[in-house]
């Protein structure tokens, strides 16, 4: 990720996952922290990040 638009794209996609309460993306490191109402499916998170155009590490 290289800019605020990148952060916004990932945040928007991850927030669409049912149960997600908040998303924090750190531009400098690419780290994504997710708070949710319950357990999340790893595949759903991976898919959301990839849908935003980025690789899940």
């Amino acid at each position: 990720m290289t800019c605020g638009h990148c952060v916004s794209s990932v945040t928007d996609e991850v927030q669409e996952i049912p149960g997600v309460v908040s998303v924090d993306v750190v531009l400098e490191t690419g780290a994504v922290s997710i708070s949710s109402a319950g357990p999340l499916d790893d595949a759903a998170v991976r898919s959301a990040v990839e849908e935003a155009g980025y690789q899940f590490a």
Side-chain angles (χ1 to χ4, degrees), residues 28-43:
E28 296 79 14
T29 64
V32 178
S33 297
I34 304 168
S35 295
S36 64
L40 296 176
D41 179 25
D42 289 343

Side-chain angles (χ1 to χ4, degrees), residues 7-32:
V7 170
S8 179
S9 294
V10 172
T11 300
D12 291 347
E13 289 295 332
V14 173
Q15 283 180 331
E16 291 183 18
I17 300 170
V20 169
V21 175
S22 67
V23 180
D24 181 41
V25 179
V26 179
L27 176 62
E28 296 79 14
T29 64
V32 178

